[in-house]
Amino acid sequence: MKSLIAASLLLLGVTASVEASHNGLALTPPLGWNSWERFRCNLECDVDPENCISERLYAEMAKVIATEGYKEAGYEYVCMDDCWMSTARDAQGRLQPDPKRFPSGLKNLANYVHSLGLKLGIYQSMGLHSCEKYPGIAGHIDIDVQTYAEWGIDLVKMDTCYNLGKEKMIEGFINMSYALNHSGRPILFSCEWARAYGGPNFTEIAEYCNSFRNIGDIQDTWDRVLSIIDWFAENQAVLYKATGPGGFNDGDFIIAGDFSLSTTQAQSQFAMWTMMNSQIFLSSDLRTLDPEAKAIVLNPEILAVSQDKLGKMGQRIHKESSFEIWTKELVGDAYAVVFFSRATDMPHNRTTTMKTLGFPDASGYSVRDLFARKDLGFFEPEKILSVIVDPSGVVVIKATPKTRVKKGFHGNNNKSVIKN
Amino acid sequence: MKSLIAASLLLLGVTASVEASHNGLALTPPLGWNSWERFRCNLECDVDPENCISERLYAEMAKVIATEGYKEAGYEYVCMDDCWMSTARDAQGRLQPDPKRFPSGLKNLANYVHSLGLKLGIYQSMGLHSCEKYPGIAGHIDIDVQTYAEWGIDLVKMDTCYNLGKEKMIEGFINMSYALNHSGRPILFSCEWARAYGGPNFTEIAEYCNSFRNIGDIQDTWDRVLSIIDWFAENQAVLYKATGPGGFNDGDFIIAGDFSLSTTQAQSQFAMWTMMNSQIFLSSDLRTLDPEAKAIVLNPEILAVSQDKLGKMGQRIHKESSFEIWTKELVGDAYAVVFFSRATDMPHNRTTTMKTLGFPDASGYSVRDLFARKDLGFFEPEKILSVIVDPSGVVVIKATPKTRVKKGFHGNNNKSVIKN
């Protein structure tokens, strides 16, 4: 196993944080796309061929990801969700895709996705059936993992529908992790283990899974986004310790570009998922994504916060009824800060200082607004920083200490900052 | 009084539905803009001069309404809300605007608004104070109405904060209506009378008010939009009888272009307010409105449903947990239909027929999609009509009977329809 990890790490060009990952994968939160939130279990290929769960859908989305800026931004996993299967295993007990909707087979689909420089994810449930009643993996872990490896699968999302009880489910996830790590192929393991039972041991889960869903599914509503943010805030003390390189949270999908979030709200979700140390899987129709949503999910400065190599989860450090502040430690003793409004009336002015935020460098910080993409100036510990936060909106800043700025850690803002 | 009504009707060029209006105004639902939802009681002119409640704000918004397509679409009232006043009446007991924020005075502001071909609305409360604690109208109805008329005010929005009890409040609204109708000036009366106490007599209210708020304030959230829609559906039997030319519902402001509605949801609110027979008052920053929101609120085919001269309130005729259908009678035996999804997952296909919708013309209807702005064809009573409705979205159609189409009632779609 060690040689496989070493090999995959070499392929990835990774030399640090090896200890933190059981399989060398997900050293930063995985980035990709998954069909579920937007396309669900749409089987109506006869009347809705563009949007049904089929090889066409995944191939088209992979093409967009590869050619319209997503791949360059870091998105690499193209993930199938439920409903890809035939309703029965074959004579040898192997899973097979629905022959009508996936006529070319999954090995061919994986080859195509790989030819674009991307990776293919698949879905299964640690139980007798998937949530939509397709065959589950119970009793078939070895043969299914072998099949995935033969097809060239790069990620398995493991649900928990129709599981056989807590003990068997836990055993299954551990066995699955072992099987994936012995499959001869680096396969990222995205688990819903944590959400199936209350009070799980997240630190144990992180030993076996590269990401873990702790909550029920997201839906296309702002209320659900808010309730997920609240859950992560309420559990941040435990999750802060459990997550990091190799094992990240999963707040479920980014719904920017679906139907229910305003541009303001879509910015907020994207920023908050970044702070929550969540994997970032889009689930909208990228073929027709509006420019505002695309600009949000491709924002390089926000994505840099998500992909920060420290892998530290952000934490809510301040909470009022309609306003909160989150901070996240970044490499180079820098910090990301999200000012998040839950107001429903009008934009409000908010003020703080580096000292109030708890940032320790006594010489002060250079501050940049990451969505506005402009420098806000240099702030000694007690200098007032004012931001206007829109209802249901965020302002995201990055604070870089003066000492690091001088050493060149501030990237392309060096010059303007050193002037201050 | 009769001569005044006759004069104002002549000015308006109105000859029908006179009986339905006590003052000849609001023969279709009033269209305009009001500052409250977006700008609230922002008094910070020193630090936020563009957005504080001041003559600058109303003059700038009037200019946009007059020059950027809103006036042509029918929007005519530019309405101040709370916080325009000085904190005390003058030595003669007259209201006065805050001298620092309205240095030119309201007569000058009204003159400017009139010079743009628009009308100016003002706010007051039927009580001791306004909601934000500025002077209320209690005990001052005659002098205040005289002041409004001298300034050239065209609409009064009457709130109910700090009122002196149900009896005195009702008496005040009736006296106010009388005073306005004897002011020597046509002044539209927009009342919150109905919402102050449960179980009001809407038919009585409609005798005195040109529009009536029945509900609490809207906020910048989709949930609040949904709850307002539900209230109107639950009370549609009573409101259908009470509303019509001269007295319309008030669902509070259109929030398209604020911060919390997606484009899909903004379309839905606009369509539903039209069906609910509500006045249509925008409350967003029109100076910076995004093109999607602007296209919604200027959609001529939806506005035509709002401004239909029959003035019949639409009704919810079908309800499932996440889907409903509303219909509204229009002139020429036509109907508007809104298919409204409350789904939070994916777009769903919905089918119906003219017969199922209850439309009586046995020869069938020509059907047009008003947001897509395309004809869908001709539908005999049992021909299936399929529409795809997005989560939190609407499809709005207009069904025009064949007989009327032949007589030329279908406007610019005559030719294509007659072919069918």
Side-chain angles (χ1 to χ4, degrees):
Chain A
M1 184 53 206
K2 273 192 181 160
S3 61
L4 174 64
I5 291 178
S8 58
L9 289 178
L10 277 173
L11 287 170
L12 291 163
V14 171
T15 55
S17 301
V18 177
E19 310 74 30
S21 177
H22 63 289
N23 60 4
L25 300 174
L27 298 182
T28 59
L31 302 178
W33 179 89
N34 177 297
S35 54
W36 183 258
E37 204 299 305
R38 173 60 183 79
F39 298 97
R40 307 279 167 157
C41 191
N42 182 345
L43 304 178
E44 306 296 324
C45 292
D46 290 341
V47 297
D48 197 13
E50 286 184 11
N51 300 306
C52 68
I53 301 304
S54 69
E55 61 185 37
R56 173 183 170 175
L57 180 70
Y58 296 107
E60 287 186 358
M61 221 58 75
K63 185 81 174 179
V64 173
I65 292 167
T67 59
E68 295 184 17
Y70 299 90
K71 180 179 154 189
E72 286 75 4
Y75 293 93
E76 59 176 346
Y77 291 97
V78 180
C79 297
M80 300 191 283
D81 209 279
D82 205 348
C83 306
W84 63 269
M85 294 180 211
S86 184
T87 50
R89 292 172 177 271
D90 72 9
Q92 284 73 46
R94 290 176 303 203
L95 292 172
Q96 39 190 358
D98 181 271
K100 201 170 166 192
R101 293 180 285 114
F102 292 83
S104 309
L106 290 189
K107 190 171 179 61
N108 276 326
L109 181 59
N111 286 345
Y112 175 70
V113 170
H114 295 157
S115 77
L116 297 170
L118 300 173
K119 294 172 176 167
L120 185 63
I122 207 163
Y123 165 98
Q124 180 51 292
S125 182
M126 186 58 70
L128 291 174
H129 312 288
S130 75
C131 299
E132 299 289 333
K133 290 268 190 142
Y134 291 89
I137 203 168
H140 298 80
I141 285 179
D142 289 339
I143 192 171
D144 284 2
V145 169
Q146 187 188 335
T147 304
Y148 299 153
E150 286 170 5
W151 285 341
I153 297 297
D154 305 292
L155 175 154
V156 175
K157 170 182 172 175
M158 187 60 68
D159 210 334
T160 59
C161 280
Y162 300 101
N163 69 70
L164 299 167
K166 185 172 182 176
E167 295 309 317
K168 287 225 167 83
M169 194 198 68
I170 291 174
E171 185 187 305
F173 273 98
I174 293 172
N175 289 342
M176 184 77 188
S177 174
Y178 183 85
L180 288 171
N181 289 346
H182 288 76
S183 68
R185 188 174 175 79
I187 301 180
L188 192 143
F189 192 27
S190 180
C191 304
E192 298 198 21
W193 177 356
R195 82 176 176 95
Y197 294 96
N201 182 337
F202 289 107
T203 308
E204 181 191 8
I205 291 172
E207 285 178 30
Y208 299 101
C209 298
N210 295 114
S211 69
F212 30 97
R213 274 271 292 293
N214 324 326
I215 48 159
D217 287 4
I218 198 167
Q219 307 295 334
D220 192 5
T221 74
W222 177 239
D223 281 351
R224 183 70 186 118
V225 171
L226 289 177
S227 69
I228 292 172
I229 293 170
D230 283 335
W231 190 90
F232 278 92
E234 286 155 15
N235 292 278
Q236 64 187 17
V238 171
L239 295 169
Y240 178 83
K241 290 180 193 156
T243 64
F248 287 98
N249 288 317
D250 177 5
D252 213 1
F253 306 119
I254 297 293
I255 57 174
D258 287 333
F259 302 97
S260 82
L261 297 196
S262 68
T263 300
T264 301
Q265 293 168 341
Q267 280 193 336
S268 298
Q269 191 205 5
F270 200 65
M272 293 307 300
W273 262 231
T274 290
M275 298 303 277
M276 282 153 37
N277 242 10
S278 174
Q279 62 179 16
I280 303 280
F281 279 70
L282 314 178
S283 186
S284 53
D285 190 343
L286 303 180
R287 299 167 300 188
T288 57
L289 201 68
D290 63 272
E292 292 83 3
K294 187 173 179 183
I296 291 167
V297 303
L298 294 183
N299 184 307
E301 303 195 31
I302 305 291
L303 280 168
V305 174
S306 158
Q307 298 297 301
D308 185 87
K309 292 215 169 354
L310 263 193
K312 296 265 191 186
M313 182 178 166
Q315 306 212 271
R316 185 163 73 188
I317 63 161
H318 176 83
K319 182 178 181 338
E320 300 165 25
S321 62
S322 64
F323 179 65
E324 48 198 69
I325 302 175
W326 290 60
T327 61
K328 179 179 176 175
E329 303 156 78
L330 304 176
V331 292
D333 300 324
Y335 292 86
V337 185
V338 174
F339 302 94
F340 176 35
S341 171
R342 297 193 179 204
T344 60
D345 54 354
M346 56 179 271
H348 290 284
N349 187 43
R350 298 290 180 171
T351 59
T352 189
T353 65
M354 298 300 110
K355 187 178 176 187
T356 305
L357 292 168
F359 300 163
D361 197 312
S363 56
Y365 291 80
S366 165
V367 175
R368 183 168 169 84
D369 182 326
L370 302 188
F371 272 123
R373 315 223 8 214
K374 67 173 185 184
D375 295 324
L376 300 182
F378 189 82
F379 291 78
E380 281 87 16
E382 303 198 21
K383 179 180 171 187
I384 297 291
L385 172 68
S386 287
V387 292
I388 291 172
V389 195
D390 292 336
S392 72
V394 290
V395 170
V396 185
I397 63 168
K398 181 178 176 183
T400 307
K402 189 175 190 179
T403 45
R404 293 290 184 157
V405 173
K406 283 193 174 160
K407 285 178 190 164
F409 276 77
H410 196 63
N412 57 12
N413 305 310
N414 259 347
K415 286 176 191 168
S416 63
V417 170
I418 285 173
K419 265 187 216 161
N420 282 314
Chain B
M1 183 55 205
K2 272 188 182 160
S3 62
L4 175 65
I5 291 178
S8 59
L9 289 176
L10 277 174
L11 286 171
L12 291 162
V14 170
T15 56
S17 299
V18 177
E19 309 76 31
S21 178
H22 63 288
N23 58 5
L25 301 174
L27 297 181
T28 58
L31 302 178
W33 179 88
N34 177 297
S35 54
W36 183 258
E37 204 299 304
R38 174 61 183 78
F39 297 97
R40 306 280 168 157
C41 191
N42 182 344
L43 304 179
E44 306 296 324
C45 292
D46 290 341
V47 296
D48 196 13
E50 287 185 10
N51 300 306
C52 68
I53 300 304
S54 68
E55 62 184 38
R56 173 182 170 175
L57 181 71
Y58 296 107
E60 286 185 358
M61 221 58 75
K63 184 81 174 179
V64 173
I65 291 168
T67 59
E68 296 185 16
Y70 298 91
K71 180 180 155 190
E72 286 75 3
Y75 293 94
E76 58 176 346
Y77 290 98
V78 180
C79 297
M80 299 191 281
D81 209 280
D82 206 348
C83 305
W84 62 269
M85 293 181 212
S86 185
T87 50
R89 293 173 177 270
D90 71 8
Q92 285 72 46
R94 289 176 304 202
L95 291 171
Q96 40 189 356
D98 181 271
K100 198 170 168 193
R101 293 181 286 114
F102 293 83
S104 310
L106 289 190
K107 190 170 181 61
N108 276 326
L109 181 60
N111 286 344
Y112 176 70
V113 170
H114 295 157
S115 77
L116 297 170
L118 300 173
K119 293 173 176 166
L120 185 64
I122 208 163
Y123 166 99
Q124 181 49 293
S125 182
M126 186 58 70
L128 291 174
H129 312 288
S130 76
C131 299
E132 298 290 333
K133 291 266 190 144
Y134 291 89
I137 203 169
H140 298 80
I141 285 179
D142 289 338
I143 192 170
D144 284 1
V145 169
Q146 187 188 335
T147 305
Y148 299 154
E150 283 171 11
W151 286 341
I153 297 298
D154 305 292
L155 176 154
V156 175
K157 170 180 173 178
M158 187 59 67
D159 210 335
T160 60
C161 280
Y162 299 102
N163 68 71
L164 298 168
K166 186 173 181 176
E167 296 310 316
K168 287 225 167 85
M169 193 197 69
I170 291 175
E171 184 186 306
F173 272 99
I174 293 173
N175 288 343
M176 183 78 189
S177 174
Y178 184 84
L180 289 171
N181 288 347
H182 287 75
S183 68
R185 187 175 175 79
I187 301 180
L188 193 143
F189 192 26
S190 181
C191 305
E192 297 198 21
W193 176 358
R195 81 176 178 94
Y197 294 95
N201 183 338
F202 289 107
T203 308
E204 182 191 7
I205 291 172
E207 284 178 32
Y208 298 101
C209 298
N210 294 114
S211 69
F212 28 96
R213 274 270 295 291
N214 323 326
I215 48 160
D217 287 4
I218 199 167
Q219 306 295 334
D220 193 5
T221 75
W222 177 237
D223 281 351
R224 183 70 187 118
V225 171
L226 290 176
S227 69
I228 291 173
I229 293 169
D230 282 337
W231 188 90
F232 278 92
E234 286 155 16
N235 292 279
Q236 63 187 17
V238 170
L239 295 170
Y240 178 84
K241 289 180 195 156
T243 64
F248 288 97
N249 288 316
D250 177 5
D252 213 1
F253 306 119
I254 297 294
I255 57 173
D258 286 333
F259 302 98
S260 81
L261 296 197
S262 68
T263 300
T264 301
Q265 293 167 342
Q267 279 194 336
S268 299
Q269 191 205 3
F270 200 65
M272 293 307 299
W273 261 232
T274 289
M275 299 302 276
M276 282 153 37
N277 241 10
S278 174
Q279 62 179 15
I280 303 281
F281 279 70
L282 314 179
S283 187
S284 52
D285 191 343
L286 303 179
R287 300 167 299 189
T288 56
L289 202 68
D290 64 271
E292 293 83 2
K294 186 173 180 183
I296 291 166
V297 302
L298 294 184
N299 184 307
E301 303 196 31
I302 305 291
L303 280 168
V305 175
S306 158
Q307 298 298 301
D308 186 86
K309 292 216 172 350
L310 263 192
K312 296 265 191 186
M313 184 179 164
Q315 305 211 272
R316 186 163 72 186
I317 63 162
H318 176 81
K319 183 180 180 338
E320 300 166 25
S321 62
S322 63
F323 179 64
E324 48 197 68
I325 302 176
W326 290 61
T327 61
K328 179 179 176 175
E329 303 157 77
L330 304 176
V331 292
D333 300 324
Y335 293 86
V337 185
V338 174
F339 302 94
F340 177 35
S341 172
R342 297 195 180 203
T344 59
D345 54 355
M346 57 178 272
H348 290 283
N349 188 43
R350 298 290 179 171
T351 60
T352 190
T353 65
M354 297 302 110
K355 187 178 175 185
T356 305
L357 291 169
F359 300 162
D361 197 312
S363 57
Y365 291 80
S366 165
V367 175
R368 181 168 171 85
D369 182 326
L370 303 189
F371 272 122
R373 306 191 59 182
K374 65 173 186 184
D375 294 325
L376 301 181
F378 189 83
F379 291 78
E380 282 87 17
E382 302 198 21
K383 180 180 172 186
I384 297 290
L385 171 69
S386 288
V387 292
I388 292 172
V389 195
D390 293 335
S392 70
V394 290
V395 171
V396 185
I397 63 167
K398 181 180 177 183
T400 307
K402 190 176 189 177
T403 45
R404 293 290 183 155
V405 173
K406 282 187 174 164
K407 286 179 191 163
F409 277 76
H410 195 64
N412 58 10
N413 306 309
N414 258 345
K415 286 175 190 168
S416 63
V417 170
I418 286 174
K419 266 186 215 159
N420 282 314

